[in-house]
Amino acid sequence: LEHIDPAASYIVAPLHEGFADVVGLLHLPMNLRFAARDELVDWPALGSGLRAGGHILISPEQPRAALRSLLRAAPQARAAHESLVVFPQGSLLGIETAFGHGAFAVAERTGMPVLPIVITGSHRVWEHPFSPLLRFRERIAIEVLAPIEAPFPGSAIRTLERHMKARALASPAPVRRYDPAVDGFWDGYRFAIDPDFADVAEAVARHRADLD
């Protein structure tokens, strides 16, 4: 918690592995506004909560429009003394999912620092969309890393991604692992696989090539 300045507004960049990530993040001493997939607005109860809370609904499959929405939202969040949560992976498939550059582009354009957060174990709480199973008394581990300032060249983002994932793999709470043979290939959804996880990257690339 020493890395969080309650008076500051951040682009919060957490690892993402389950819907319970939000529950964990809400324990931190910050007012948060979330970027969420627009399809969630159709969920009963959740959709009305997203609207009422002023959260940002985006489609990762339309990256330019999503970035424009985030660039409009970030100054509004800062003016309201909030931080904007943008999951760099854009997917909760697992640690193998690669970072996109959206969160860092917003930070560069707005001058807001990025606050990296390593979350593990949340997929054990609620396994949706892979299973309806809900568990209690599961451990979620949250590690807040030191905030970082722009600029963010690609090499800096890659270095941060590797550092965060190394911390996750060393965490006392288990990480979510993506196995496309079990979890599916999620055709139509926009995500990339971290090349450091070569077996998964090869399986996804081979599947997509077969579709073409």
Side-chain angles (χ1 to χ4, degrees):
L1 295 182
E2 70 275 8
H3 290 146
I4 298 175
D5 178 358
S9 291
Y10 301 98
I11 301 299
V12 180
L15 293 182
H16 197 19
E17 62 172 43
F19 283 95
D21 292 338
V22 174
V23 178
L25 291 168
L26 290 174
H27 281 76
L28 299 176
M30 294 186 288
N31 297 317
L32 298 176
R33 189 178 300 196
F34 289 83
R37 275 191 172 270
D38 55 4
E39 66 188 52
L40 298 180
V41 78
D42 295 326
W43 287 28
L46 179 60
S48 58
L50 287 170
R51 290 193 204 94
H55 301 289
I56 316 308
L57 300 171
I58 61 173
S59 172
E61 284 66 54
Q62 298 176 339
R64 291 184 179 179
L67 180 58
R68 287 195 296 269
S69 295
L70 293 173
L71 288 171
R72 287 193 299 268
Q76 296 170 2
R78 181 167 51 191
H81 305 290
E82 298 173 334
S83 291
L84 179 61
V85 180
V86 183
F87 293 100
Q89 292 163 294
S91 166
L92 47 67
L93 288 174
I95 195 168
E96 291 84 359
T97 313
F99 278 18
H101 287 197
F104 305 95
V106 174
E108 285 192 324
R109 298 273 286 274
T110 62
M112 296 168 69
V114 167
L115 186 68
I117 299 182
V118 177
I119 301 178
T120 57
S122 66
H123 70 287
R124 295 280 301 167
V125 177
W126 188 26
E127 294 186 352
H128 180 86
F130 308 102
S131 162
L133 187 62
L134 181 68
R135 297 184 182 92
F136 295 92
R137 301 187 185 279
E138 289 290 334
R139 181 178 189 177
I140 298 178
I142 299 177
E143 182 180 9
V144 181
L145 305 182
I148 54 177
E149 304 278 351
F152 303 107
S155 58
I157 297 172
R158 186 68 176 132
T159 298
L160 176 65
E161 178 180 11
R162 283 176 161 161
H163 177 61
M164 291 177 68
K165 290 181 176 181
R167 300 296 300 172
L169 290 166
S171 169
V175 299
R176 161 79 188 160
R177 304 305 301 258
Y178 174 44
D179 181 352
V182 175
D183 302 324
F185 289 92
W186 293 83
D187 299 331
Y189 284 83
R190 185 174 184 268
F191 66 92
I193 300 299
D194 184 338
D196 284 351
F197 300 91
D199 290 346
V200 177
E202 181 181 354
V204 171
R206 187 166 56 246
H207 170 79
R208 290 175 175 174
D210 290 343
L211 291 179
D212 295 337

